[in-house]
């Protein structure tokens, strides 16, 4: 309770103690235990479960590589939390995201991109925060830290995991770490945990390629989307000032009941509505040419731009086919435009 952080005593739950005894009896070596992903993750989970407060900083990077087009976006984050429910998340950089503040009075979420914030009743526990899609749905750092602060961190981290693997003992900034990999239906993720001293999380990478349909077939050019968070400067049980969890609205920022409502209320019709469509002439898959001008005054044309590697496109295309069929008698025609792949690839996909 003083001004200096205190070292935590790691105590396994009875189930872990039993597991350790069984391992010794069966002749497992310390090296085997140190390369078992479950044991390592449980050790890290036990460490954070005993934390009354924590603060951490991170560097966040998102990488795209699709059909040779590469892009990298980055940002920096600060996170602080204090049991049972106080938290703060601030983001700066190319992807500002949103900021979160919760104290005993309210939960505030600030979306800097649109200069708006919402305010609601505070959650009672970190487990309750995990059920909030804004907090645990699209933000790696808040998701992982909330999972580490859950009543059962190991179960929270392992939800949806079908397989876990020990990759290797590696180094990050000269420090030894255990590299672990976890497999899920929608995505895979890797975690790097300190191999010496306190078992703190050093880095996490999530590969979203599977869920977005970006996984390339054998012989094809790779396509991927990964998100990496390099985590550092952990401060466990160090004092945190109360004002850290309080939100002060910057000048020009407006309070709204919902981010969606706030945006929809101000959305203006596109300036292109009612304008003449540009000329479009494209080769048809089975021969011939498509000319948009040929449909003038006769049809309503839906142009859908898509690719086989685009997960959202693939999910959307059957819906558009159904919609076009429903309105066929009213002159609606659908043309799905793929300008980046060869005819054989497209035919195989359509079959």
């Amino acid at each position: 309770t003083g001004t200096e952080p205190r070292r935590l005593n790691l105590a396994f739950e009875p189930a872990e103690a039993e597991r350790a005894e069984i391992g010794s009896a069966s002749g497992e070596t310390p090296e085997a235990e140190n390369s078992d992903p479950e044991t390592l993750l449980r050790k890290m989970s036990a460490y954070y479960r005993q934390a009354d407060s924590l603060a951490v900083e991170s560097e966040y990077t998102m990488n795209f590589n699709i059909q040779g087009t590469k892009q990298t976006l980055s940002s920096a984050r600060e996170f602080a939390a204090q049991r049972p429910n106080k938290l703060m998340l601030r983001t700066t950089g190319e992807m500002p995201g949103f900021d979160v503040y919760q104290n005993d009075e309210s939960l505030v979420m600030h979306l800097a991109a649109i200069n708006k914030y919402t305010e609601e009743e505070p959650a009672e526990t970190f487990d309750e925060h995990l059920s909030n899609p804004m907090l645990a749905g699209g933000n790696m750092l808040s998701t992982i830290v909330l999972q580490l602060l859950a009543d059962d961190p190991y179960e929270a981290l392992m939800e949806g995991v079908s397989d876990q693997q020990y990759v290797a003992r590696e180094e990050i900034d000269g420090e030894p770490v255990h590299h672990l990999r976890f497999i899920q239906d929608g995505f895979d993720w890797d975690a790097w945990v300190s191999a010496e001293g306190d078992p703190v999380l050093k880095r996490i990478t999530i590969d979203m390629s599977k869920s977005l349909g970006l996984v390339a077939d054998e012989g094809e050019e790779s396509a991927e989307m990964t998100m990496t968070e390099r985590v550092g400067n952990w401060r466990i049980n160090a004092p945190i000032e109360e004002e850290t969890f309080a939100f002060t609205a910057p000048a020009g920022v407006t309070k709204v009941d919902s981010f969606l409502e706030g945006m929809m209320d101000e959305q203006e019709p596109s300036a292109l509505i009612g304008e003449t469509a540009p000329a479009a002439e494209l080769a048809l898959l089975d021969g011939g040419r498509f000319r948009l001008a040929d449909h003038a005054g006769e049809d309503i044309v839906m142009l859908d731009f898509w690719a086989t590697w685009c997960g959202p496109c693939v999910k959307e295309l059957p819906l558009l086919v159904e919609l076009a069929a429903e309105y066929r008698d009213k002159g609606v025609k659908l043309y799905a435009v793929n300008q980046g792949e060869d005819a054989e690839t497209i035919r195989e996909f359509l079959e």
Side-chain angles (χ1 to χ4, degrees), residues 61-94:
T61 304
M62 179 179 288
N63 289 299
F64 300 88
N65 181 4
I66 301 175
Q67 290 191 331
T69 299
K70 299 180 180 180
Q71 186 175 12
T72 299
L73 300 173
S74 61
S75 60
R77 290 175 177 156
E78 299 176 75
F79 193 102
Q82 182 173 305
R83 294 190 188 275
N85 61 352
K86 295 179 182 177
L87 60 87
M88 178 278 294
L89 171 69
R90 280 195 293 262
T91 306
T92 57
E94 296 173 310

Side-chain angles (χ1 to χ4, degrees), residues 98 129-139 142-144 146-147:
F98 61 91
H129 282 309
L130 275 171
S131 65
N132 186 328
M134 289 290 288
L135 289 176
N139 188 303
S142 64
T143 300
I144 193 71
L146 288 173
Q147 288 171 331

